[in-house]
PDB file of all heavy atoms in Angstrom:
ATOM      1  N   VAL A 132     -64.331   7.898 -24.714  1.00 57.00           N
ATOM      2  CA  VAL A 132     -63.167   7.114 -25.114  1.00 57.00           C
ATOM      3  C   VAL A 132     -62.725   7.606 -26.488  1.00 57.00           C
ATOM      4  O   VAL A 132     -63.499   7.589 -27.435  1.00 57.00           O
ATOM      5  CB  VAL A 132     -63.507   5.610 -25.191  1.00 57.00           C
ATOM      6  CG1 VAL A 132     -62.249   4.818 -25.510  1.00 57.00           C
ATOM      7  CG2 VAL A 132     -64.121   5.137 -23.891  1.00 57.00           C
ATOM      8  N   LEU A 133     -61.483   8.056 -26.582  1.00 59.00           N
ATOM      9  CA  LEU A 133     -60.975   8.576 -27.843  1.00 59.00           C
ATOM     10  C   LEU A 133     -59.867   7.671 -28.374  1.00 59.00           C
ATOM     11  O   LEU A 133     -59.037   7.180 -27.601  1.00 59.00           O
ATOM     12  CB  LEU A 133     -60.413   9.985 -27.648  1.00 59.00           C
ATOM     13  CG  LEU A 133     -61.427  11.087 -27.314  1.00 59.00           C
ATOM     14  CD1 LEU A 133     -60.691  12.397 -27.107  1.00 59.00           C
ATOM     15  CD2 LEU A 133     -62.460  11.230 -28.404  1.00 59.00           C
ATOM     16  N   PRO A 134     -59.831   7.461 -29.704  1.00 64.00           N
ATOM     17  CA  PRO A 134     -58.710   6.710 -30.287  1.00 64.00           C
ATOM     18  C   PRO A 134     -57.425   7.520 -30.180  1.00 64.00           C
ATOM     19  O   PRO A 134     -57.433   8.726 -29.925  1.00 64.00           O
ATOM     20  CB  PRO A 134     -59.145   6.514 -31.743  1.00 64.00           C
ATOM     21  CG  PRO A 134     -60.122   7.613 -32.012  1.00 64.00           C
ATOM     22  CD  PRO A 134     -60.818   7.872 -30.704  1.00 64.00           C
ATOM     23  N   LEU A 135     -56.313   6.851 -30.448  1.00 61.00           N
ATOM     24  CA  LEU A 135     -55.013   7.493 -30.294  1.00 61.00           C
ATOM     25  C   LEU A 135     -54.866   8.706 -31.197  1.00 61.00           C
ATOM     26  O   LEU A 135     -54.348   9.743 -30.780  1.00 61.00           O
ATOM     27  CB  LEU A 135     -53.908   6.471 -30.567  1.00 61.00           C
ATOM     28  CG  LEU A 135     -52.469   6.992 -30.454  1.00 61.00           C
ATOM     29  CD1 LEU A 135     -52.203   7.516 -29.050  1.00 61.00           C
ATOM     30  CD2 LEU A 135     -51.479   5.902 -30.824  1.00 61.00           C
ATOM     31  N   TRP A 136     -55.334   8.600 -32.442  1.00 70.00           N
ATOM     32  CA  TRP A 136     -55.154   9.711 -33.370  1.00 70.00           C
ATOM     33  C   TRP A 136     -55.909  10.951 -32.892  1.00 70.00           C
ATOM     34  O   TRP A 136     -55.428  12.083 -33.070  1.00 70.00           O
ATOM     35  CB  TRP A 136     -55.606   9.324 -34.782  1.00 70.00           C
ATOM     36  CG  TRP A 136     -57.082   9.067 -34.928  1.00 70.00           C
ATOM     37  CD1 TRP A 136     -57.713   7.872 -34.855  1.00 70.00           C
ATOM     38  CD2 TRP A 136     -58.099  10.056 -35.158  1.00 70.00           C
ATOM     39  NE1 TRP A 136     -59.071   8.023 -35.023  1.00 70.00           N
ATOM     40  CE2 TRP A 136     -59.334   9.350 -35.220  1.00 70.00           C
ATOM     41  CE3 TRP A 136     -58.096  11.434 -35.331  1.00 70.00           C
ATOM     42  CZ2 TRP A 136     -60.542   9.994 -35.439  1.00 70.00           C
ATOM     43  CZ3 TRP A 136     -59.311  12.080 -35.548  1.00 70.00           C
ATOM     44  CH2 TRP A 136     -60.509  11.363 -35.610  1.00 70.00           C
ATOM     45  N   ALA A 137     -57.097  10.750 -32.296  1.00 68.00           N
ATOM     46  CA  ALA A 137     -57.859  11.889 -31.808  1.00 68.00           C
ATOM     47  C   ALA A 137     -57.146  12.553 -30.634  1.00 68.00           C
ATOM     48  O   ALA A 137     -57.159  13.776 -30.492  1.00 68.00           O
ATOM     49  CB  ALA A 137     -59.261  11.435 -31.401  1.00 68.00           C
ATOM     50  N   ARG A 138     -56.540  11.752 -29.770  1.00 66.00           N
ATOM     51  CA  ARG A 138     -55.804  12.333 -28.648  1.00 66.00           C
ATOM     52  C   ARG A 138     -54.623  13.156 -29.139  1.00 66.00           C
ATOM     53  O   ARG A 138     -54.307  14.220 -28.593  1.00 66.00           O
ATOM     54  CB  ARG A 138     -55.309  11.223 -27.724  1.00 66.00           C
ATOM     55  CG  ARG A 138     -56.410  10.410 -27.080  1.00 66.00           C
ATOM     56  CD  ARG A 138     -55.833   9.441 -26.107  1.00 66.00           C
ATOM     57  NE  ARG A 138     -56.551   8.178 -26.121  1.00 66.00           N
ATOM     58  CZ  ARG A 138     -56.145   7.085 -25.491  1.00 66.00           C
ATOM     59  NH1 ARG A 138     -55.021   7.113 -24.820  1.00 66.00           N
ATOM     60  NH2 ARG A 138     -56.839   5.976 -25.543  1.00 66.00           N
ATOM     61  N   VAL A 139     -53.947  12.634 -30.195  1.00 71.00           N
ATOM     62  CA  VAL A 139     -52.811  13.369 -30.757  1.00 71.00           C
ATOM     63  C   VAL A 139     -53.274  14.702 -31.338  1.00 71.00           C
ATOM     64  O   VAL A 139     -52.621  15.744 -31.150  1.00 71.00           O
ATOM     65  CB  VAL A 139     -52.119  12.511 -31.831  1.00 71.00           C
ATOM     66  CG1 VAL A 139     -51.052  13.331 -32.558  1.00 71.00           C
ATOM     67  CG2 VAL A 139     -51.500  11.270 -31.206  1.00 71.00           C
ATOM     68  N   VAL A 140     -54.419  14.695 -32.035  1.00 75.00           N
ATOM     69  CA  VAL A 140     -54.953  15.931 -32.609  1.00 75.00           C
ATOM     70  C   VAL A 140     -55.290  16.936 -31.512  1.00 75.00           C
ATOM     71  O   VAL A 140     -54.952  18.128 -31.608  1.00 75.00           O
ATOM     72  CB  VAL A 140     -56.198  15.632 -33.474  1.00 75.00           C
ATOM     73  CG1 VAL A 140     -56.904  16.924 -33.870  1.00 75.00           C
ATOM     74  CG2 VAL A 140     -55.804  14.837 -34.713  1.00 75.00           C
ATOM     75  N   ILE A 141     -55.980  16.469 -30.452  1.00 72.00           N
ATOM     76  CA  ILE A 141     -56.349  17.365 -29.354  1.00 72.00           C
ATOM     77  C   ILE A 141     -55.107  17.932 -28.683  1.00 72.00           C
ATOM     78  O   ILE A 141     -55.027  19.136 -28.383  1.00 72.00           O
ATOM     79  CB  ILE A 141     -57.228  16.629 -28.336  1.00 72.00           C
ATOM     80  CG1 ILE A 141     -58.590  16.298 -28.948  1.00 72.00           C
ATOM     81  CG2 ILE A 141     -57.426  17.467 -27.073  1.00 72.00           C
ATOM     82  CD1 ILE A 141     -59.494  15.511 -28.035  1.00 72.00           C
ATOM     83  N   PHE A 142     -54.106  17.074 -28.473  1.00 71.00           N
ATOM     84  CA  PHE A 142     -52.874  17.550 -27.844  1.00 71.00           C
ATOM     85  C   PHE A 142     -52.183  18.580 -28.732  1.00 71.00           C
ATOM     86  O   PHE A 142     -51.662  19.586 -28.252  1.00 71.00           O
ATOM     87  CB  PHE A 142     -51.946  16.363 -27.582  1.00 71.00           C
ATOM     88  CG  PHE A 142     -50.692  16.738 -26.853  1.00 71.00           C
ATOM     89  CD1 PHE A 142     -50.719  17.032 -25.494  1.00 71.00           C
ATOM     90  CD2 PHE A 142     -49.482  16.811 -27.521  1.00 71.00           C
ATOM     91  CE1 PHE A 142     -49.568  17.379 -24.820  1.00 71.00           C
ATOM     92  CE2 PHE A 142     -48.326  17.156 -26.852  1.00 71.00           C
ATOM     93  CZ  PHE A 142     -48.365  17.443 -25.498  1.00 71.00           C
ATOM     94  N   GLY A 143     -52.187  18.327 -30.054  1.00 76.00           N
ATOM     95  CA  GLY A 143     -51.576  19.283 -30.970  1.00 76.00           C
ATOM     96  C   GLY A 143     -52.289  20.620 -30.962  1.00 76.00           C
ATOM     97  O   GLY A 143     -51.650  21.682 -30.977  1.00 76.00           O
ATOM     98  N   LEU A 144     -53.627  20.601 -30.943  1.00 76.00           N
ATOM     99  CA  LEU A 144     -54.387  21.841 -30.870  1.00 76.00           C
ATOM    100  C   LEU A 144     -54.100  22.589 -29.581  1.00 76.00           C
ATOM    101  O   LEU A 144     -54.021  23.830 -29.570  1.00 76.00           O
ATOM    102  CB  LEU A 144     -55.885  21.546 -30.999  1.00 76.00           C
ATOM    103  CG  LEU A 144     -56.363  21.057 -32.369  1.00 76.00           C
ATOM    104  CD1 LEU A 144     -57.841  20.686 -32.318  1.00 76.00           C
ATOM    105  CD2 LEU A 144     -56.123  22.123 -33.437  1.00 76.00           C
ATOM    106  N   MET A 145     -53.971  21.832 -28.487  1.00 74.00           N
ATOM    107  CA  MET A 145     -53.622  22.476 -27.215  1.00 74.00           C
ATOM    108  C   MET A 145     -52.313  23.227 -27.329  1.00 74.00           C
ATOM    109  O   MET A 145     -52.180  24.380 -26.903  1.00 74.00           O
ATOM    110  CB  MET A 145     -53.513  21.417 -26.104  1.00 74.00           C
ATOM    111  CG  MET A 145     -54.794  21.098 -25.389  1.00 74.00           C
ATOM    112  SD  MET A 145     -54.458  20.067 -23.943  1.00 74.00           S
ATOM    113  CE  MET A 145     -53.195  21.018 -23.132  1.00 74.00           C
ATOM    114  N   ILE A 146     -51.318  22.562 -27.905  1.00 75.00           N
ATOM    115  CA  ILE A 146     -49.999  23.177 -28.026  1.00 75.00           C
ATOM    116  C   ILE A 146     -50.065  24.421 -28.908  1.00 75.00           C
ATOM    117  O   ILE A 146     -49.490  25.470 -28.592  1.00 75.00           O
ATOM    118  CB  ILE A 146     -48.996  22.157 -28.603  1.00 75.00           C
ATOM    119  CG1 ILE A 146     -48.814  20.983 -27.621  1.00 75.00           C
ATOM    120  CG2 ILE A 146     -47.656  22.828 -28.877  1.00 75.00           C
ATOM    121  CD1 ILE A 146     -48.253  21.374 -26.290  1.00 75.00           C
ATOM    122  N   VAL A 147     -50.802  24.303 -30.027  1.00 79.00           N
ATOM    123  CA  VAL A 147     -50.900  25.439 -30.953  1.00 79.00           C
ATOM    124  C   VAL A 147     -51.547  26.647 -30.274  1.00 79.00           C
ATOM    125  O   VAL A 147     -51.065  27.782 -30.385  1.00 79.00           O
ATOM    126  CB  VAL A 147     -51.704  25.026 -32.201  1.00 79.00           C
ATOM    127  CG1 VAL A 147     -52.029  26.254 -33.053  1.00 79.00           C
ATOM    128  CG2 VAL A 147     -50.920  24.015 -33.028  1.00 79.00           C
ATOM    129  N   VAL A 148     -52.668  26.401 -29.578  1.00 76.00           N
ATOM    130  CA  VAL A 148     -53.389  27.503 -28.938  1.00 76.00           C
ATOM    131  C   VAL A 148     -52.536  28.156 -27.858  1.00 76.00           C
ATOM    132  O   VAL A 148     -52.405  29.391 -27.785  1.00 76.00           O
ATOM    133  CB  VAL A 148     -54.719  27.002 -28.361  1.00 76.00           C
ATOM    134  CG1 VAL A 148     -55.377  28.089 -27.502  1.00 76.00           C
ATOM    135  CG2 VAL A 148     -55.671  26.582 -29.472  1.00 76.00           C
ATOM    136  N   VAL A 149     -51.935  27.326 -26.991  1.00 75.00           N
ATOM    137  CA  VAL A 149     -51.164  27.867 -25.877  1.00 75.00           C
ATOM    138  C   VAL A 149     -49.914  28.589 -26.380  1.00 75.00           C
ATOM    139  O   VAL A 149     -49.609  29.719 -25.970  1.00 75.00           O
ATOM    140  CB  VAL A 149     -50.792  26.752 -24.882  1.00 75.00           C
ATOM    141  CG1 VAL A 149     -49.845  27.291 -23.807  1.00 75.00           C
ATOM    142  CG2 VAL A 149     -52.041  26.188 -24.243  1.00 75.00           C
ATOM    143  N   VAL A 150     -49.174  27.934 -27.271  1.00 78.00           N
ATOM    144  CA  VAL A 150     -47.954  28.551 -27.800  1.00 78.00           C
ATOM    145  C   VAL A 150     -48.293  29.813 -28.591  1.00 78.00           C
ATOM    146  O   VAL A 150     -47.589  30.835 -28.494  1.00 78.00           O
ATOM    147  CB  VAL A 150     -47.180  27.537 -28.669  1.00 78.00           C
ATOM    148  CG1 VAL A 150     -46.014  28.230 -29.392  1.00 78.00           C
ATOM    149  CG2 VAL A 150     -46.656  26.400 -27.809  1.00 78.00           C
ATOM    150  N   GLY A 151     -49.389  29.749 -29.386  1.00 76.00           N
ATOM    151  CA  GLY A 151     -49.791  30.933 -30.137  1.00 76.00           C
ATOM    152  C   GLY A 151     -50.137  32.095 -29.222  1.00 76.00           C
ATOM    153  O   GLY A 151     -49.750  33.247 -29.484  1.00 76.00           O
ATOM    154  N   GLY A 152     -50.877  31.814 -28.158  1.00 77.00           N
ATOM    155  CA  GLY A 152     -51.230  32.872 -27.222  1.00 77.00           C
ATOM    156  C   GLY A 152     -50.019  33.452 -26.531  1.00 77.00           C
ATOM    157  O   GLY A 152     -49.887  34.683 -26.382  1.00 77.00           O
TER     158      GLY A 152
END
Side-chain angles (χ1 to χ4, degrees):
V132 184
L133 292 178
L135 180 60
W136 66 266
R138 297 185 217 171
V139 172
V140 170
I141 292 177
F142 184 74
L144 291 175
M145 272 190 52
I146 296 298
V147 170
V148 171
V149 173
V150 172

